[in-house]
Amino acid sequence: MMKKNFLYFTVMAIAVSLGSCKKELDTNPQERITLDNYYKTQADAFTGLVAIYDRFAFQSGGLYDKSAIMDVASDDQLAGGGSSGDINDLQVMQNYTLNASTGPHGYLWNRGYSGIFRANVLLSKIDAIPMDAALKARYIAETKAMRAAFYFDLVTFFKNVPLIEGVVEIGDIYNITQAPPASIYAYVEKDLNDAIPNLPNTVPAATEGGRLTKGAAQALLGKVLLYEKKWQAAADQFAVVNGTAPGVSPSVYGYKLYPVFGDLWKPANKFNSESIIEFVHSSKSNGNWSAAGNSEGNLLSITTGPRGYSKVLSTAPDYFSGYSFLVFTKDFFDFIHKDPRNAATVANLDSLQTNGIAKYTPGYNNTGYFFAKYMGLTTQAAATIPELNFGIDEYEIRLADTYLMEAEALMNAGAAVGAGSRAYILLNAVRARVGLNPVAVTQDNIEKERRLELAGEGQRFPDLVRWGKAAATLKFKGFIAGRHEVFPIPQNELNNTKLEQNKEWGGTK
């Protein structure tokens, strides 16, 4: 994600082109910016690209993002907050009381299709823009890779979604219909395969950190193929990303497990050797409460912090007082408690308070076990409106994730999994990084490792769904088999359109 300051004119172009039909009698046409007269220069193309990145890492003005939704949907975390109605979209996700009109799925739909709209606009205009051919090819590749990511999320979450390949005229918007999921997956694969050759192997972190690379697109393609159960094809993509000697030497793209697990979430370690797709946040964007979702700060840093936190002893952790969302369950705490990743993952506020080290005010769903990875510290806080301007980045995909996905793909493809096999090396490289002994490559061990390693990173719920284990695991939260594996199509998208509700939600699709 790049600075939203670049987005103003692109957003204005979209707004003007989709504006009212009244005659602009009082407007100087030389001052108007439209889609037809905007995309003329290389600078315009770059601004359009930034606009797509903006949707890629978009956070809701309701103070949550995709990762937060997936976290509260899982068995490991609860919504928390100040009350049962605090950030209601997360509360209804936690309890599985969402419906077509209420819940966070509207954000997911809008994030995806606004990103696809921006991608389609740029792709429709960029061929006519005079600019360096190699740079143009890169912009197109980045755009297609992000469009693929948007579609992958949409088909994963909603199953039956429209396939919009170009810029849709206003009069045709209400006539769009849904495509078969297989068509969406095929389109995602094609976009990623088109993109990979024209993306750079690496980017300079200081000036282009967060932009997509070959490895990022290949990792995403591997994940898409994994979700399609195309096991060997997925493993082949991951093999390039993960390298010939996982856990020992860097891959061709320079990826290597970061040596200290807990340091992955320090702002000083942005764009480290483990980061593959990273959503960039800044402490300098001056985000404010007039449009909290437009802040470049990481909103998880404030929402996950403990309410009313204060130190009793000077040795107490330096947590910034927050809103107590996404607390871990007692079951998860018991699961991770003796694992070396516990301290970097869980902040045990009850222990701190019981031992007279610090104080906090228990919130709703309080368990005392807080999500530590993205939690803000006072030493990281920005000078102005600190709660909205924490600069801790989020990982969309990191190397430990791709190691575990490749091991899973190899196992399901029928490859060797015994000691010394590639699947065995991949799984146990993740464990060795935190000082754990090797284990056998089994479905159960892969599931356990993903739960421990990726806790709070938005992976648990999609994992449970694709493994067919969501209904049994999430029954205690109200999950209904045959319904909650997908989200309902938002009601606003159904009104006066040809879209059909998913059959899981009473529709016909």
Side-chain angles (χ1 to χ4, degrees), residues 466-481:
R466 69 185 180 84
W467 291 329
K469 297 188 175 182
T473 305
L474 297 169
K475 184 178 180 180
F476 79 100
K477 278 192 164 186
F479 187 102
I480 299 172

Side-chain angles (χ1 to χ4, degrees), residues 143-153 187-188 191-192 220:
T143 299
K144 286 189 173 184
M146 283 187 282
R147 183 171 66 178
F150 291 130
Y151 270 124
F152 176 54
D153 279 348
Y187 196 74
V188 169
D191 259 356
L192 289 170
L220 180 57

Side-chain angles (χ1 to χ4, degrees), residues 18-282:
L18 299 180
S20 67
C21 61
K22 78 180 185 73
K23 294 181 178 179
E24 299 289 341
L25 297 178
D26 55 351
T27 301
N28 181 346
Q30 292 181 338
E31 295 176 355
R32 296 186 66 206
I33 304 171
T34 68
L35 291 179
D36 290 333
N37 65 24
Y38 179 71
Y39 288 94
K40 299 296 184 184
T41 68
Q42 180 175 307
D44 295 343
F46 180 70
T47 303
L49 181 66
V50 174
I52 307 165
Y53 273 102
D54 175 59
R55 292 290 100 175
F56 198 44
F58 176 60
Q59 300 176 104
S60 166
L63 305 185
Y64 61 80
D65 63 2
K66 181 179 73 170
S67 178
I69 298 167
M70 299 299 104
D71 289 342
V72 298
S74 80
D75 53 327
D76 290 340
Q77 288 170 271
L78 302 173
S83 69
S84 61
D86 198 359
I87 307 188
N88 190 58
D89 284 351
L90 296 184
Q91 304 294 340
V92 299
M93 187 72 258
Q94 170 193 282
N95 298 322
Y96 287 93
T97 54
L98 72 165
N99 56 50
S101 300
T102 304
H105 45 292
Y107 152 81
L108 293 171
W109 184 281
N110 291 335
R111 171 187 175 269
Y113 279 109
S114 60
I116 289 165
F117 172 80
R118 295 181 185 193
N120 287 344
V121 167
L122 181 57
L123 291 173
S124 74
K125 300 292 183 180
I126 196 167
D127 280 347
I129 298 175
M131 56 187 292
D132 176 78
L135 185 62
K136 180 182 290 189
R138 180 186 175 186
Y139 283 14
I140 291 171
E142 288 178 89
T143 299
K144 286 189 173 184
M146 283 187 282
R147 183 171 66 178
F150 291 130
Y151 270 124
F152 176 54
D153 279 348
L154 287 163
V155 73
T156 300
F157 299 144
F158 296 99
K159 187 174 69 172
N160 296 298
V161 298
L163 177 58
I164 303 173
E165 301 183 61
V167 178
V168 179
E169 296 297 328
I170 299 257
D172 295 331
I173 288 175
Y174 300 102
N175 297 317
I176 293 173
T177 58
Q178 289 133 299
S183 297
I184 303 293
Y185 276 108
Y187 196 74
V188 169
E189 288 185 38
K190 183 180 186 304
D191 259 356
L192 289 170
N193 280 310
D194 287 350
I196 288 167
N198 293 313
L199 290 168
N201 281 12
T202 61
V203 296
T207 56
E208 296 186 6
R211 291 181 69 174
L212 296 181
T213 61
K214 272 188 173 67
Q218 283 193 273
L220 180 57
L221 179 56
K223 186 172 182 177
V224 171
L225 294 167
L226 184 80
Y227 273 59
E228 294 182 272
K229 294 182 168 55
K230 297 179 178 178
W231 305 117
Q232 189 57 56
D236 292 344
Q237 293 296 326
F238 289 133
V240 180
V241 175
N242 294 334
T244 57
V248 178
S249 62
S251 72
V252 66
Y253 301 131
Y255 299 131
K256 189 175 182 180
L257 292 177
Y258 201 71
V260 180
F261 176 80
D263 287 351
L264 284 165
W265 293 275
K266 292 183 177 179
N269 297 328
K270 291 173 183 279
F271 318 125
N272 58 69
S273 63
E274 187 163 338
S275 176
I276 297 177
I277 298 180
E278 183 170 333
F279 292 161
V280 185
H281 296 291
S282 172

Side-chain angles (χ1 to χ4, degrees), residues 410-485:
L410 287 168
M411 178 185 68
N412 283 288
V417 296
S421 69
R422 182 171 174 87
Y424 183 89
I425 291 168
L426 286 159
L427 170 62
N428 288 300
V430 177
R431 293 175 59 81
R433 192 250 300 269
V434 294
L436 292 173
N437 292 326
V439 295
V441 179
T442 65
Q443 181 66 27
D444 186 56
N445 282 339
I446 288 172
E447 290 179 15
K448 287 179 179 177
E449 204 60 35
R450 287 186 65 79
R451 188 182 181 191
L452 291 163
E453 175 73 22
L454 302 169
E457 297 179 50
Q459 304 300 328
R460 177 68 174 167
F461 174 73
D463 278 350
L464 289 172
V465 172
R466 69 185 180 84
W467 291 329
K469 297 188 175 182
T473 305
L474 297 169
K475 184 178 180 180
F476 79 100
K477 278 192 164 186
F479 187 102
I480 299 172
R483 165 171 283 199
H484 290 122
E485 289 85 356

